[in-house]
Amino acid sequence: MTQWEHEVATLWAGLLGRDPSAISVEADFFQLGGDSLVFVQFLIAAQERFSVEIMVDELYESGFTVRAVAEVLSSGAGVA
């Protein structure tokens, strides 16, 4: 797991009340029990923590897995 993947998994775990070590890189946010409101909370937290703005349409194209979200964050796309 890369540092970015670890960061995403940790944020998701906090929002979903899960153990971060139990979240794999292929874990899908919505299959873990997340919903659109909690995902918005993640977007806000990620923007504050990493100083990035994640484009939701970019995530729809890449997916809502830990790996896909981490790749979007690490690519620098949407850096504020």
Side-chain angles (χ1 to χ4, degrees):
M1 184 176 284
T2 69
Q3 182 62 33
W4 282 103
E5 291 165 348
H6 175 74
E7 295 288 342
V8 170
T10 300
L11 280 174
W12 286 9
L15 292 168
L16 299 171
R18 293 181 172 260
D19 178 0
S21 66
I23 298 177
S24 77
V25 296
E26 296 303 322
D28 179 277
F29 182 81
F30 297 104
Q31 290 177 352
L32 290 172
D35 59 32
S36 58
L37 295 176
V38 178
F39 198 76
V40 169
Q41 291 175 328
F42 165 74
L43 293 176
I44 292 167
Q47 182 174 357
E48 291 173 357
R49 186 169 186 165
F50 307 118
S51 298
V52 298
E53 184 175 331
I54 302 171
M55 307 305 290
V56 177
D57 59 336
E58 206 172 319
L59 292 176
Y60 277 110
E61 292 174 13
S62 61
F64 292 96
T65 65
V66 169
R67 177 171 285 143
V69 173
E71 286 177 7
V72 169
L73 287 171
S74 68
S75 73
V79 173

